[in-house]
Amino acid sequence: AKQCGKKAVVLEVDMLKGRKKFGMRDKNKMNAIKKKVIEGGFPAVVASPPCSTFSRARTSGFSGPHPLRSKSSPRGFSWLGARAKASVRDANLLVDFAFEILELQAKFEDKFFLLEHPE
């Protein structure tokens, strides 16, 4: 970016590095990010919500984590235990938020977005 005379400013919302800073279950933090997108504050948005509960590797037939969702239960199986249910709930929240942000970004003809996520 520096070579073409442009400055890139990145707002990284990383759940592994910044759970306390960016705890995305906090509606105020979510709304602050939405507001910035609505105001046209980002030339590009890259969304990569956590994919571990969605991963096809869970259905590979090898030992490892069992599936938490299916085509007929995309938001998670109803019979999941408390820990798995919490993981699915959090992942659903973050995927929903990512789509909200991308829909807001898509309203601008001169802005870009990218979603990185399995299936």
Side-chain angles (χ1 to χ4, degrees):
K2 191 175 182 179
Q3 295 154 339
C4 66
K6 301 289 182 184
K7 180 180 176 183
V9 178
V10 176
L11 170 64
E12 180 182 6
V13 180
D14 187 326
M15 293 304 296
L16 296 177
K17 293 180 182 175
R19 187 172 292 273
K20 290 181 182 174
K21 185 175 180 183
F22 292 111
M24 295 313 296
R25 286 189 285 181
D26 181 328
K27 293 289 184 195
N28 292 328
K29 292 176 184 173
M30 293 171 93
N31 287 335
I33 292 172
K34 283 184 204 176
K35 182 178 182 211
K36 187 143 177 132
V37 173
I38 289 167
E39 293 170 349
F42 299 110
V45 171
V46 178
S48 181
C51 58
S52 63
T53 67
F54 294 89
S55 179
R56 189 173 279 261
R58 289 178 170 273
T59 61
S60 68
F62 296 105
S63 62
H66 297 291
L68 302 177
R69 0 173 143 254
S70 69
K71 185 177 180 179
S72 61
S73 297
R75 305 240 355 132
F77 296 126
S78 60
W79 47 262
L80 294 174
R83 189 172 181 190
K85 200 173 275 191
S87 292
V88 166
R89 181 196 63 232
D90 288 350
N92 289 345
L93 177 78
L94 293 168
V95 167
D96 292 345
F97 180 65
F99 275 100
E100 284 182 65
I101 293 297
L102 297 178
E103 286 176 342
L104 293 170
Q105 183 78 354
K107 292 180 181 180
F108 295 95
E109 290 183 17
D110 62 338
K111 310 265 183 212
F112 302 94
F113 65 87
L114 172 74
L115 173 67
E116 183 280 320
H117 200 268
E119 301 194 48

